[in-house]
Amino acid sequence: MPGYANNPPRNSHFPQAEVPAVHLQDVSKHFGSIEAVNHVSFHVVGGSIVGLVGSDGAGKSTLLRMIAAMVRPSSGTIQIHGLDAASHKTGIKPLIGYMPQRFGLYLDLTVEENIEFFMDVFGVFGAERAKRKERYLGFSNLLPFIDRLAGALSGGMKQKLGLACVLAHEPKVLILDEPTNGVDPVSRQEFWGILGQMRQEGMAILISTAYLDEGEQCDQLVLMHKSRVLEVATPEAVQSHYSSLEEAMIHRIQEVDEGLMHEQFGL
Amino acid sequence: MNPVIIKAIARKEFYHLVRDFRSMYLAFMIPLLLILMFGYALSLDVDSVRTVVVDHDKTEVSRDFVRKLNASSYFEITHHLNDSSTAVRYLDQGLTTMAIVIPPEWTEDLKADRTASLQVLIDGSDPNFAGISRGYITAFVEAYNRDRLISFLNRKGMEVIKPPVDGRIRVWFNEDLDSRNFIVPGIIAIIIMIVGAMLTSLVIAREYENGTMETIRSLPVGGGELLLGKAIPYFLIALIDVLVAVFMGQVLFGVVMKSSFSLLVLASTIYISVALSLGLLISIATKSQLVANQMAILITFLPSLLLSNFVFPVGNMPRIFQLLTCIIPATYFIDILNGIYLRGLGIAHLWPSYLVLVGMLIVLSNIGFALLRREGM
């Protein structure tokens, strides 16, 4: 697979474009009789952060895994920069950086060896390799720990190293599944600092999170509950007249649950 | 198949290997220990039987008998004891393997043409060793009888009776019946199974257990690239182990190959690949290091040791086990190595075994590949 190394030059004015970076059209996924994702449509443009929020088991991880071409949708289409995710699996992987919920780093490899492995796979060599190592480990404040084994890092540092690894091939779409779960507030802030920088550079970022203060930093929120998308809107619009985002979300979710109760039991 | 990705995986796998103490130990120490153990300690040959003698007779004839016994290279007389009970104690305490008791009036019986009995006690706790010792002493007594008979007839001026049948036994391929000649090829087969299958059975299971399989799957890494990349470091180590075993066999035990070295390398290459595909297949199927390791011992290491004609002769096994040996890769590899080491055979005679191994390689690697594909690689 030649050509990974020849990514187009970084462009700070990424075309916010006719073709969205991620485009979902009526996407569903069921495992046997269980509906995990139910007729979901939305899109993410370059240079924006879209937050996926909602209750546990709402189908966020499954949705993200489908976008990262890890599982095929049962129906509907997912396009990454115009390429169909299901049929161009190998073609879109260089475009994506995906950090799974339980991101596996190699704990017996050093910080440097971990990021080098990702660059090896994507064929990043030569001067570019040194530059990117410097840049992405620098972002994460990991340069002083370059020779430390990944297993000896704190939880927050591990997540930042994970982020540096998935950024090292300079993807156009970043998919992060609850990357800051259980991470201390300072590391979380640093993590979001990096995301902000990437947004400025035109990256499309899709992140699921359980922290609603993080939700407020997104450009768009996708509110999911029981495998459906309830709302796609800016954090302000989701919050509307409620005092906090959290209150607004709980209210919306309860509304839906009551509606379902009525449907099912005719209450 | 992208060589860049294969190299990336191989490099990472190499780091895992050198940082894992247990793997390194299995890869280098176990082969060395096996060679030394099988070569020295577990030698199946009996060089000389440690013997104590109790001579109650104490005559010129009995002393001559003992002298002849000691002169033969098969017996090593460690002690001359005064009574049988001490000899029994020596046997009990394992200080000797055999005790020979010459009764009083032994010479008189001989001279009076009565059958003179000789008591021989053998430690039977090691049946193999006891059997060989019994063979040695039986042959020795027979030879002694024949000599006495001949000299008796000679003295009487009678014609010497020739034995009706004289079996002339000549052993081919391993002229000295030195079991080391046979052990070196067997050891190479076992080492390859340990390094090839037991070590690699951990490598994919480890990715599943550490959650890094999800990472790998998110990268543009294909199943074939993953398998090949993971196999490369283990392939090299196994090949080094083979060369060390061949070298040690030559230097320490004087086991010299009669046929070509390149045939050995070719056979080892194929057999290592078979072992690697088997190990990787187990790893993909079990997804757990513990289960994978147990499985590897059960279906690769033990059959190679027990059912490959190495330790136990296949000919003596029940029919079902004989059939079982046909599906064990080590059987064919040991067959090739024996051909190379002992018989000096070339490819013209050995190609069927090579072909079977190549067939096994194709089948096993394709199953592994298909399993990975089902996992979405």
Side-chain angles (χ1 to χ4, degrees), chain A residues 65 70 93 106 108 113, chain B residues 16 19 207 214-215 217:
Chain A
R65 292 190 76 210
M70 304 288 283
K93 275 186 173 170
Y106 292 101
D108 55 341
E113 285 160 356
Chain B
H16 292 318
R19 298 218 174 123
E207 302 269 1
E214 183 83 349
T215 310
R217 289 186 51 210

Side-chain angles (χ1 to χ4, degrees), chain B residues 43-116:
Chain B
S43 165
L44 300 175
D45 300 327
V46 180
D47 287 336
S48 64
V49 183
R50 277 179 309 152
T51 308
V52 294
V53 173
V54 185
D55 185 359
H56 290 301
D57 194 35
K58 292 195 178 69
T59 61
E60 185 57 39
V61 180
S62 72
R63 272 194 290 273
D64 179 57
F65 177 82
V66 172
R67 240 191 328 273
K68 280 192 171 127
L69 198 66
N70 204 14
S72 116
S73 65
Y74 297 108
F75 305 96
E76 181 199 350
I77 295 178
T78 53
H79 294 91
H80 294 268
L81 305 173
N82 290 325
D83 57 293
S84 315
S85 57
T86 321
V88 169
R89 190 167 59 78
Y90 267 64
L91 275 171
D92 279 348
Q93 295 177 350
L95 297 172
T96 186
T97 319
M98 189 159 79
I100 291 174
V101 184
I102 303 173
E105 286 136 33
W106 191 65
T107 314
E108 268 176 46
D109 281 347
L110 269 179
K111 285 185 172 155
D113 216 6
R114 288 192 293 269
T115 302

Side-chain angles (χ1 to χ4, degrees), chain A residues 115-194:
Chain A
I115 197 167
E116 280 181 343
F117 169 63
F118 283 78
M119 290 195 284
D120 278 347
V121 168
F122 285 101
V124 181
F125 297 114
E128 188 64 20
R129 186 182 177 92
K131 213 175 82 192
R132 291 193 194 181
K133 205 190 299 178
E134 180 92 14
R135 176 178 159 90
Y136 293 108
L137 290 181
F139 268 160
S140 334
N141 294 326
L142 285 168
L143 279 174
F145 308 105
I146 200 156
D147 290 323
R148 190 180 283 195
L149 291 182
L153 296 177
S154 71
M157 284 162 98
K158 269 184 205 154
Q159 291 304 88
K160 283 187 287 175
L161 173 57
L163 183 60
C165 287
V166 296
L167 287 174
H169 68 284
E170 310 205 320
K172 294 199 169 107
V173 177
L174 191 59
I175 301 162
L176 308 165
D177 195 355
E178 303 204 340
T180 54
N181 248 15
V183 170
D184 70 275
V186 177
S187 292
R188 269 171 58 197
Q189 202 176 25
E190 284 175 357
F191 200 95
W192 274 86
I194 304 170

Side-chain angles (χ1 to χ4, degrees), chain A residues 1-2 4 65 68-71 89-90 93-94 96 98 100 102-106 108-110 113 116-118 120-123 125 129 149 169, chain B residues 1-2 4-5 7-9 11-12 15-17 19-20 206-222 225 230 376-377:
Chain A
M1 281 163 252
Y4 292 156
R65 292 190 76 210
M70 304 288 283
V71 283
K89 214 168 123 181
T90 38
K93 275 186 173 170
I96 307 175
Y98 167 58
R102 210 191 128 211
F103 186 64
L105 290 162
Y106 292 101
D108 55 341
L109 263 55
T110 64
E113 285 160 356
E116 280 181 343
F117 169 63
F118 283 78
D120 278 347
V121 168
F122 285 101
F125 297 114
R129 186 182 177 92
L149 291 182
H169 68 284
Chain B
M1 290 274 189
N2 180 354
V4 170
I5 292 178
K7 204 180 129 197
I9 302 276
R11 188 173 137 148
K12 169 188 86 69
Y15 288 137
H16 292 318
L17 184 62
R19 298 218 174 123
D20 184 24
R206 191 156 50 204
E207 302 269 1
Y208 276 108
E209 280 183 9
N210 296 342
T212 45
M213 199 61 189
E214 183 83 349
T215 310
I216 296 265
R217 289 186 51 210
S218 73
L219 299 173
V221 176
E225 288 155 346
K230 283 194 168 280
M377 281 291 303

